[in-house]
Amino acid sequence: MKLAVVIAIIATISAFADYSEFGLHGGFYIPTGDAGDVYNLSPMLGGQFLMHMPLFAIEASASYVFLQPENDIDGFSAHMIPLNAGLRTYGGGLFYGGGLELDMFSVSWDTPAGEESESESDFGVYGTLGTVIPMGGKKLELAGKLHWINTDQDDQWWLSAMAGIYF
């Protein structure tokens, strides 16, 4: 059964390979709620994949977010790596959709006893809304996402705004 699923996935990707696009994106993560008490507007960079089907598209992205603290803290360093995978559909000039995400956090800071660090991985979901603008054989994508991340301490809500280009 597992072999049949793998073969079906490979066949689907092969059948729609002409409809696949890869790209790069950049933007900002905006913390809200409890996350907004700790972090400030944070820049992000990443890559994205889009595979068009007749009624929808499969989207996936991996980003690196340089988390910025709300207050100036000496020796503070934090980042988040969100991995997103979901579906989108198009209506008029807009697309909308959503999917699942895995967020990997890493934080380190200086203490009198030395450097402390913590890492955590949490699952979440996201919803997306955006538009694609054709630009001379390439496509510029402008999108916003609402992320809900279920952490051990509490639920976190983040907004992200990004611009990307598909090749």
Side-chain angles (χ1 to χ4, degrees), residues 34-96:
D34 290 342
D37 295 339
V38 179
Y39 299 109
N40 208 347
L41 182 74
S42 301
M44 86 165 156
L45 297 170
Q48 55 203 28
F49 169 76
L50 190 62
M51 183 170 36
H52 296 280
M53 303 288 191
L55 299 176
F56 60 89
I58 297 170
E59 64 179 5
S61 68
S63 303
Y64 189 93
V65 182
F66 304 89
L67 293 174
Q68 304 297 313
E70 179 67 27
N71 300 317
D72 236 357
I73 302 170
D74 287 336
F76 181 85
S77 174
H79 68 268
M80 174 172 57
I81 300 174
L83 304 174
N84 298 324
L87 300 174
R88 71 165 65 164
T89 189
Y90 297 87
L94 297 176
F95 66 82
Y96 53 93

Side-chain angles (χ1 to χ4, degrees), residues 8-166:
I9 291 170
I10 292 171
T12 302
I13 291 171
S14 298
F16 291 99
D18 289 344
Y19 302 107
S20 299
E21 298 176 279
F22 295 91
L24 300 172
H25 64 263
F28 295 97
Y29 258 65
I30 306 156
T32 64
D34 290 342
D37 295 339
V38 179
Y39 299 109
N40 208 347
L41 182 74
S42 301
M44 86 165 156
L45 297 170
Q48 55 203 28
F49 169 76
L50 190 62
M51 183 170 36
H52 296 280
M53 303 288 191
L55 299 176
F56 60 89
I58 297 170
E59 64 179 5
S61 68
S63 303
Y64 189 93
V65 182
F66 304 89
L67 293 174
Q68 304 297 313
E70 179 67 27
N71 300 317
D72 236 357
I73 302 170
D74 287 336
F76 181 85
S77 174
H79 68 268
M80 174 172 57
I81 300 174
L83 304 174
N84 298 324
L87 300 174
R88 71 165 65 164
T89 189
Y90 297 87
L94 297 176
F95 66 82
Y96 53 93
L100 301 174
E101 69 179 75
L102 172 63
D103 296 285
M104 295 170 278
F105 294 90
S106 180
V107 179
S108 65
W109 63 96
D110 291 338
T111 66
E115 185 176 300
E116 297 276 334
S117 66
E118 289 183 17
S119 296
E120 181 179 342
S121 295
D122 298 304
F123 287 100
V125 295
Y126 71 93
T128 186
L129 176 66
T131 189
V132 176
I133 303 166
M135 292 183 55
K138 307 230 183 313
K139 294 179 183 175
L140 176 66
E141 177 177 296
L142 303 174
K145 291 183 181 178
L146 175 62
H147 307 264
W148 171 72
I149 304 166
N150 185 18
T151 67
D152 293 337
Q153 294 82 20
D154 60 1
D155 295 339
Q156 290 187 16
W157 293 90
W158 294 75
L159 296 171
S160 64
M162 64 176 230
I165 188 163
Y166 284 102

